[in-house]
Amino acid sequence: GSKPFPDDDEVDLFHHRMRFDRSDKYTFLHYQDDMRKDAMVMELLSSSPRAVDIYSHCSMSSVIEFAPMEMDEYIMPTTGFSPKKVVRRGVKSDDLDEPLNDYISPEEKLEIALGMAKCIATIHGFKDGVIALVDVQSSQFFRGRDGFIKLVDYNRAEAL
C-alpha cells in the first residue's frame, strides 16, 4: 500500500494540467482515469525500490517521493520543444548525429540500462500478476535520492 507521508523528506507534487473543451466530458474523464491508473499502479508497486513511493492522490494530482535526477535529461540533454536542440557540453546544436553522452562512461551506461531493465522487471514480475505498460520512454525514469533508478509514470499501465 501507500507509505505514510515523510516527516523530513522533500516530495514531488504531480499535477496534470490539460486544456480541452469544458463541454467535452469524455476527454476529461479519460484523463482522470489515466491519473487514477497512475496512482493505483504506483501504490501496487510502492514496496519496490524501483518504483516511486506514493503518499497521496486525488483526481489529477498525486504526491510522490522526490526523485531529483531525470534520466532522460542526463542521458540525452536537449533543450526546447520540437524540433529539439542537442546540448553538448553546454553548446546548443542542430546536429543530432553528434555523440550526446560521451561524458558517461561505458560502465555507467550499462548500470543505467540495467537499472531501467530492473524497473521493467518489477512491473512484469509483480507478485499479484503482470502489469502491462504500453508507453515506456526514457523520460519516465528518474534516479531517486536512494540511488535507485525508478519508473515514475504509470498512467498507461494496467494490472492484468
Side-chain angles (χ1 to χ4, degrees):
S2 60
K3 296 190 178 180
F5 195 81
D7 291 329
D8 58 352
D9 287 343
E10 294 178 76
V11 296
D12 277 334
L13 172 64
F14 278 5
H15 179 73
H16 303 277
R17 288 183 161 174
M18 289 144 221
R19 291 186 182 185
F20 51 87
D21 181 354
R22 290 185 187 272
S23 66
D24 183 0
K25 298 297 184 207
Y26 174 81
T27 301
F28 173 75
L29 293 174
H30 170 78
Y31 283 119
Q32 191 174 36
D33 191 52
D34 279 351
M35 299 310 107
R36 179 193 60 79
K37 287 187 232 176
D38 194 44
M40 298 310 287
V41 172
M42 270 190 226
E43 186 172 352
L44 289 173
L45 297 173
S46 67
S47 64
S48 170
R50 300 290 175 186
V52 292
D53 290 333
I54 182 168
Y55 303 113
S56 180
H57 79 92
C58 179
S59 188
M60 305 288 269
S61 302
S62 52
V63 179
I64 64 168
E65 155 189 10
F66 179 61
M69 179 188 274
E70 184 177 346
M71 296 309 298
D72 193 47
E73 286 299 316
Y74 180 64
I75 296 166
M76 187 175 65
T78 59
T79 184
F81 297 102
S82 186
K84 288 190 173 252
K85 297 230 184 259
V86 174
V87 178
R88 186 167 189 271
R89 295 190 178 126
V91 178
K92 295 177 187 174
S93 170
D94 289 322
D95 185 3
L96 294 177
D97 292 327
E98 289 185 46
L100 299 178
N101 53 20
D102 56 353
Y103 53 88
I104 303 174
S105 71
E107 293 82 10
E108 187 179 2
K109 288 177 185 178
L110 285 172
E111 181 267 324
I112 290 168
L114 180 61
M116 290 176 168
K118 286 180 178 181
C119 292
I120 301 301
T122 297
I123 294 169
H124 290 181
F126 180 61
K127 64 180 172 50
D128 293 330
V130 172
I131 296 174
L133 182 60
V134 298
D135 71 339
V136 176
Q137 306 167 42
S138 60
S139 62
Q140 296 169 332
F141 293 91
F142 283 67
R143 186 179 301 274
R145 288 192 297 189
D146 58 5
F148 285 102
I149 293 177
K150 301 169 184 272
L151 190 56
V152 301
D153 184 353
Y154 303 96
N155 65 357
R156 305 260 330 259
E158 299 231 14
L160 303 178

